[in-house]
Amino acid sequence: MKNLLTRTTIRKYDSRDVADELLNRLLTEAARTQTMGNLQLYSVVVTRSEEMKARLAPAHFNQPMVTEAPVVLTVCADFNRTSQWARCRKADPGYDNFLSFINAATDALLYTQTLCNLMDEEGLGYCYLGTTVYQPQLIIDTLQLPQLVMPVATLTVGWPAEKPQLTDRLPLGSFVHAETYMDYTPEKIDEYYAPKERLPENQHFVSINNKETLAQVFTDLRYTRRDNEALSATLLDALRRQGFC
């Protein structure tokens, strides 16, 4: 069992299966999380078959845990179900817009985090894949998601086969603001980021990438302007196709 202070991302899993009974219980309990208007604007696609995991893998840049984990969960912002309910009850839904996507995505991500906390309590390991919104159309096509359903989070899930070290986190003062937002001075940036930059693993990261600073690794290599703009266009196109804008 882990708590948030010892939580780590798990990318390697042993051969034990995750029982349907356990997974379904956790999926049910997670539904007690907060939700807009008590509408539960999310759906979860559970992928267990090797064939389907292999089909999903390219959408996540073929990261090994997608095919190696016993279970892959794709959490979707879902206004389709609510819209279908409205039409079946003589109501006219108006949820084919960007605001509705934001509301549903918020619901879906809150559900995802609650589920992660519950899996921690059971000793399960998981990896949150940020790649879900990079190539969403491939996921949409693979999982046959209808209009007003958009993938927003993916979790690979299984029993841990590794014990990774804790990763660093910024201090409280760097992200909590009293009363109003206080912008960051160069002095505050130094105070908040210097400990991260001094870590041996991060200094090594800078060195092997032939960069001067850790920030350059992120801006020049990991999350570049060119990639961000291209992936933004892909995401917006998928949102249009799904009817959210």
Side-chain angles (χ1 to χ4, degrees):
M1 180 182 296
K2 297 182 289 185
N3 62 37
L4 284 175
L5 295 180
T6 58
R7 190 209 70 80
T8 56
T9 293
I10 301 298
R11 295 178 174 85
K12 296 181 180 179
Y13 309 95
D14 69 24
S15 58
R16 282 183 295 162
D17 195 14
V18 178
D20 281 333
E21 181 182 11
L22 172 60
L23 183 60
N24 288 339
R25 175 169 63 81
L26 298 180
L27 291 169
T28 300
E29 290 177 2
R32 297 307 308 170
T33 198
Q34 54 269 56
T35 170
M36 193 197 81
N38 200 29
L39 289 173
Q40 296 180 248
L41 302 170
Y42 49 80
S43 284
V44 184
V45 180
V46 180
T47 302
R48 289 183 178 273
S49 79
E50 299 303 319
E51 176 190 355
M52 289 299 291
K53 286 188 285 186
R55 289 176 59 188
L56 282 172
H60 300 289
F61 301 99
N62 292 306
Q63 295 177 85
M65 56 273 195
V66 177
T67 53
E68 294 173 0
V71 181
V72 176
L73 303 177
T74 305
V75 186
C76 303
D78 185 349
F79 244 121
N80 174 60
R81 184 183 61 250
T82 302
S83 297
Q84 296 279 24
W85 170 60
R87 284 188 285 268
C88 288
R89 297 295 182 267
K90 301 179 182 179
D92 182 21
Y95 308 123
D96 53 346
N97 45 68
F98 189 67
L99 176 64
S100 296
F101 167 70
I102 291 295
N103 286 331
T106 300
D107 259 26
L109 293 173
L110 286 169
Y111 178 88
T112 301
Q113 183 58 65
T114 299
L115 180 62
C116 288
N117 293 344
L118 293 170
M119 291 194 295
D120 280 330
E121 293 178 357
E122 294 292 335
L124 283 166
Y126 56 86
C127 180
Y128 180 98
L129 302 183
T131 47
T132 305
V133 295
Y134 287 2
Q135 301 185 81
Q137 194 61 50
L138 181 53
I139 299 173
I140 290 166
D141 294 341
T142 300
L143 301 181
Q144 301 178 27
L145 304 181
Q147 289 255 300
L148 299 186
V149 180
M150 186 74 182
V152 294
T154 299
L155 300 172
T156 59
V157 181
W159 300 103
E162 62 174 343
K163 293 183 178 180
Q165 295 294 312
L166 288 174
T167 52
D168 62 281
R169 290 292 186 267
L170 293 171
L172 182 72
S174 69
F175 56 86
V176 174
H177 302 256
E179 307 300 342
T180 61
Y181 189 101
M182 298 296 292
D183 207 354
Y184 299 93
T185 63
E187 292 75 20
K188 285 297 183 181
I189 291 295
D190 288 343
E191 176 186 343
Y192 297 145
Y193 282 88
K196 174 191 284 286
E197 294 165 335
R198 283 196 297 264
L199 291 172
E201 57 267 34
N202 285 337
Q203 291 182 346
H204 177 66
F205 202 28
V206 173
S207 176
I208 63 174
N209 284 290
N210 297 312
K211 293 297 177 181
E212 182 181 357
T213 68
L214 182 63
Q216 289 174 351
V217 175
F218 285 86
T219 61
D220 299 354
L221 299 174
R222 295 196 67 186
Y223 306 108
T224 68
R225 177 184 295 276
R226 183 180 66 180
D227 288 346
N228 288 338
E229 290 176 349
L231 293 170
S232 292
T234 299
L235 176 60
L236 287 170
D237 183 60
L239 285 169
R240 292 187 189 98
R241 289 170 180 262
Q242 293 306 100
F244 277 117
C245 59

